[in-house]
Amino acid sequence: MVQLLDGKATALQIKEEIANEVRQLTAKGMRPPHLAAVIVGNDGASQTYVANKEKSSHEVGFTSSVYRFSENTTEEELLRSIEFLNNDPDIDGFIVQLPLPKHINEQHVINAISPDKDVDGFTPINIGRMVLGEDSYVPATPMGICTLLKRYNVETAGKHCVVLGRSNIVGTPIANLLSRKGFDCTVTICHSKTKNLAEITRQADILIAAIGKPEFVTADMAKEGAVLVDVGIHRIPDETKKSGYRIIGDVKHNEVDTKCSWVTPVPGGVGPLTIVSLMENTLKAYNRHQK
Ligand code: GUN
């Protein structure tokens, strides 16, 4: 029988834990943690993500600010604003929502973020620390996946974990985290040049779909009893919905789920945990800054 890795319920629980901690801080007269977000342009999905981060910040009692820049902002202007955020003592952490417009070099922008305020864990320093197993800010999506696996006591030691996708944000860090002590998986990373993909994914005890293609994973690609983590978030036009769209993932859930032991639903799986992980990183940044 398939069981749900319920991201929505888990996120609610963790948010309550964070809110409690913030209430204790402010009761002592301390200021609440402050998360800032930088967004460039009008990409619909990015606007939604940033709005959700702002909403969650308020729910846990954080101060939240959003810095909005037009689509034709220059790289220099953006770098200046990052310098400002790096030096503002009232801001504990900030994120620059990706993707950025084509004329801006994303790596230049990420490299300009102070590792101390990099609550997305995207800077080379934090990624390096993570790979070395040192204390760092871990990127929110892989951190959220780890939290779900831990909170549901999913067995990982010695399991074969196949990661579909090698992005800097998800595939590469989750492969590293699950191979390390504590999770102890044997990890295979698959990507666009992988040969005999289904043959490999069928060997997965834990299959992480982070490939960015709607309903890419079909029933023939999954092993009976697999743990299935779907990182995909795609908007598909749907006139029956008030919003005009519905959200689907990287997995064809109607045919794959029944084969699995555990699955993350879409929506309500990895997504809510991603946001909550960002809140956890912000609280960590705050606690570091109070010391
Ligand atoms: N774009 C997609 N996912 C993310 C994320 O976790 N952080 C940022 N900053 N941008 C994203």
Side-chain angles (χ1 to χ4, degrees), residues 50-86:
V50 168
N52 286 339
K53 288 167 188 173
E54 208 177 5
K55 180 165 166 269
S56 288
S57 292
H58 291 144
E59 283 166 358
V60 297
F62 290 179
T63 306
S64 158
S65 37
V66 179
Y67 294 80
R68 296 176 192 282
F69 292 87
S70 80
E71 184 76 26
N72 43 30
T73 300
T74 64
E75 190 173 304
E76 290 67 35
E77 278 175 279
L78 196 56
L79 290 173
R80 267 199 300 278
S81 76
I82 288 172
E83 195 54 30
F84 168 83
L85 294 169
N86 282 341

Side-chain angles (χ1 to χ4, degrees), residues 20-262:
N20 270 332
E21 207 170 323
V22 174
R23 272 193 289 273
Q24 284 171 23
L25 293 166
T26 50
K28 285 191 281 190
M30 293 163 80
R31 70 164 175 87
H34 185 171
L35 171 66
V38 174
I39 180 164
V40 185
N42 301 309
D43 177 66
S46 290
Q47 300 283 344
T48 306
Y49 294 145
V50 168
N52 286 339
K53 288 167 188 173
E54 208 177 5
K55 180 165 166 269
S56 288
S57 292
H58 291 144
E59 283 166 358
V60 297
F62 290 179
T63 306
S64 158
S65 37
V66 179
Y67 294 80
R68 296 176 192 282
F69 292 87
S70 80
E71 184 76 26
N72 43 30
T73 300
T74 64
E75 190 173 304
E76 290 67 35
E77 278 175 279
L78 196 56
L79 290 173
R80 267 199 300 278
S81 76
I82 288 172
E83 195 54 30
F84 168 83
L85 294 169
N86 282 341
N87 291 315
D88 184 341
D90 290 335
I91 291 173
D92 296 294
F94 65 96
I95 64 133
V96 178
Q97 186 65 36
L98 304 178
L100 292 169
K102 294 267 177 294
H103 65 276
I104 297 176
N105 183 318
E106 256 172 32
Q107 209 53 51
H108 288 172
V109 172
I110 290 170
N111 288 351
I113 300 172
S114 162
D116 178 54
K117 294 195 178 184
D118 170 30
V119 284
D120 251 339
F122 287 174
T123 58
I125 294 276
N126 279 312
I127 293 170
R129 284 180 183 152
M130 181 194 74
V131 171
L132 293 170
E134 292 179 11
D135 188 34
S136 68
Y137 297 114
V138 173
T141 303
M143 181 169 161
I145 295 170
C146 291
T147 301
L148 267 181
L149 295 175
K150 269 194 246 161
R151 290 227 171 193
Y152 281 91
N153 292 314
V154 173
E155 236 185 89
T156 55
K159 302 291 181 189
H160 185 195
C161 173
V162 175
V163 179
L164 281 179
R166 56 179 163 185
S167 71
N168 289 346
I169 296 183
V170 186
T172 297
I174 193 66
N176 174 259
L177 292 166
L178 293 181
S179 70
R180 287 227 309 270
K181 274 204 168 63
F183 287 105
D184 300 298
C185 290
T186 304
V187 178
T188 301
I189 303 180
C190 298
H191 46 74
S192 52
K193 297 286 194 299
T194 298
K195 295 203 169 78
N196 305 323
L197 185 67
E199 220 169 87
I200 299 170
T201 58
R202 274 198 297 273
Q203 295 170 33
D205 302 310
I206 302 172
L207 182 58
I208 313 246
I211 203 161
K213 291 188 182 158
E215 299 189 331
F216 180 85
V217 176
T218 46
D220 59 307
M221 295 172 75
K223 175 161 99 172
E224 204 65 49
V227 176
L228 181 67
V229 176
D230 186 351
V231 182
I233 302 181
H234 310 279
R235 289 179 181 201
I236 300 292
D238 185 341
E239 284 169 13
T240 68
K241 303 280 179 199
K242 216 169 81 186
S243 60
Y245 64 85
R246 69 194 156 90
I247 304 288
I248 61 168
D250 284 359
V251 175
K252 225 171 199 164
H253 284 275
N254 58 359
E255 60 176 65
V256 187
D257 287 10
T258 51
K259 290 184 88 175
C260 299
S261 54
W262 293 95

